Amino acid sequence: RLKELELPTLGHSDVLVKMLAAPINPADINMIQGTYALLAPLPAVAGNEGVGRVLEVGPGVAALRPGDCVIPADAGLGTWRTHAVFPEDSLLRVPADIPLLCAATLGVNPCTALRMLTDFESLAPGDSVIQNAANSGVGQAVIQIAKAIGVRTINVVRDRPDLPQLVERLQALGADHVVTEDALRKPEMKEIFKSIPQPRLALNGVGGRSTTEMLRHLHPRGTMVTYGGMAKQPVTVPVSAFIFRDVRLRGFWMTQWKKDHDKQSMASMVDALCQLVQKGQLSAPACTTQPLQDFRKALAASMQPFTSSKQILLL
């Protein structure tokens, strides 16, 4: 529910922030449902991501000043609110020229995409990657970041009524190939691999049958990284894939990566992503904005099937 709260007093190292925009991500929904691996003590403000503007800083704050744009450095801050007092260490500054929706959606999906593209296989220009959930926030970021580094993408989506429009939109982002889950078993896949190499990296945000079918096209000794499970079904791997092709299955959780790395590592990654935004190589995912008072409508829309537009709360 929407509630009015009194702001705490600004402490020595605290920052008063006017929140501007915050997305609704699947992890936010799972936290509210109580099914996520990270749960905030109740009562809690929801929202793990967003962008705000600094209004005031405590006397001990060194790196931030009024007027700066900031995003959370970690999950669990509670961004679905108009104002907040945060510790300086929990925030990262982003350049003021980053578009609002880009900044609001920068800290989770693009970071996840960048880490998965760089941490598991040494990809070089001309290599390829295959991913499902290609129309998701992560999927759209993978397409754009891969394009920027010269890596080709094979993008798997579910069949849907507006498939031609979706294919066109993903291709406009830089997708090399867009196929449906059903096409993964068809001869057209052989045609794709006549012009590009088999991928050594597969990115899985779905689980279930989609994962098993995608594995068929992974290069021997390639790696599949699972970062989501939208189908709510287990990852099933044929024994032959392990024995005869020695594929590797890994998992990735951006929150754990943040726990394992210092704030400077996060800041450097965000800076690299901001540079891509400034060069026009990375844009916000398809978004629909809603005022905070319409949060119920935004939540309902974010849980609809075949959702290709991220709901953003304007604060």
Side-chain angles (χ1 to χ4, degrees):
R1 57 186 171 179
L2 203 57
K3 197 171 182 181
E4 223 167 279
L5 302 173
E6 191 170 327
L7 283 169
T9 305
L10 198 67
H12 182 75
S13 300
D14 288 342
V15 178
L16 173 62
V17 176
K18 167 68 180 84
M19 293 303 301
L20 302 174
I24 297 176
N25 290 317
D28 300 320
I29 304 291
N30 295 151
M31 284 181 74
I32 294 167
Q33 293 168 333
T35 60
Y36 200 58
L38 175 71
L39 298 177
L42 299 176
V45 178
N48 290 295
E49 191 180 26
V51 62
R53 183 172 288 112
V54 175
L55 297 182
E56 192 181 341
V57 300
V61 172
L64 296 174
R65 62 187 66 183
D68 284 347
C69 287
V70 290
I71 65 172
D74 208 348
L77 277 193
T79 55
W80 298 357
R81 51 175 139 187
T82 60
H83 297 77
V85 173
F86 295 127
E88 179 189 13
D89 283 348
S90 68
L91 300 170
L92 290 172
R93 190 174 68 82
V94 293
D97 63 348
I98 300 296
L100 181 72
L101 297 184
C102 276
T105 57
L106 195 66
V108 176
N109 292 163
C111 290
T112 298
L114 182 61
R115 292 268 59 90
M116 293 195 300
L117 284 169
T118 55
D119 290 357
F120 295 92
E121 289 284 346
S122 298
L123 298 177
D127 285 343
S128 72
V129 57
I130 188 169
Q131 65 163 343
N132 55 22
N135 60 304
S136 68
V138 171
Q140 293 175 62
V142 165
I143 290 169
Q144 295 175 84
I145 296 169
K147 182 80 172 178
I149 61 175
V151 171
R152 270 116 25 124
T153 55
I154 303 154
N155 302 280
V156 185
V157 297
R158 289 183 294 174
D159 200 1
R160 63 193 66 213
D162 64 342
L163 183 62
Q165 293 94 322
L166 176 60
V167 170
E168 188 177 327
R169 185 156 60 79
L170 295 182
Q171 287 175 337
L173 290 177
D176 294 282
H177 301 278
V178 183
V179 300
T180 63
E181 290 180 348
D182 290 338
L184 287 172
R185 291 197 72 129
K186 294 183 177 175
E188 62 192 79
M189 295 303 296
K190 291 181 181 177
E191 292 299 314
I192 289 175
F193 294 122
K194 285 180 180 177
S195 59
I196 65 173
Q198 267 189 301
R200 288 186 291 110
L201 180 66
L203 307 177
N204 169 44
V206 178
R209 176 172 167 261
S210 171
T211 311
T212 309
E213 298 297 344
M214 201 162 58
L215 264 174
R216 295 176 185 277
H217 305 291
L218 189 62
H219 193 277
R221 295 188 177 175
T223 304
M224 173 174 278
V225 183
T226 293
Y227 67 93
M230 291 192 297
K232 295 183 172 60
Q233 295 171 355
V235 171
T236 305
V237 183
V239 171
S240 59
F242 281 125
I243 296 175
F244 303 120
R245 293 197 293 119
D246 192 21
V247 298
R248 286 168 288 200
L249 268 66
R250 300 285 304 275
F252 182 78
W253 186 30
M254 192 65 226
T255 300
Q256 187 62 50
W257 187 93
K258 291 177 182 178
K259 289 178 182 177
D260 294 341
H261 295 77
D262 59 18
K263 186 181 175 183
Q264 185 53 49
S265 300
M266 181 68 183
S268 298
M269 175 169 55
V270 167
D271 182 58
L273 292 169
C274 286
Q275 290 182 40
L276 290 179
V277 173
Q278 290 166 329
K279 292 176 186 174
Q281 295 177 307
L282 179 64
S283 59
C287 293
T288 302
T289 58
Q290 302 278 7
L292 180 59
Q293 57 265 33
D294 291 340
F295 73 94
R296 292 187 188 280
K297 180 180 175 184
L299 283 170
S302 70
M303 293 188 282
Q304 293 301 309
F306 302 114
T307 300
S308 294
S309 183
K310 188 180 288 291
Q311 297 292 312
I312 308 283
L313 297 171
L314 295 181
L315 309 164

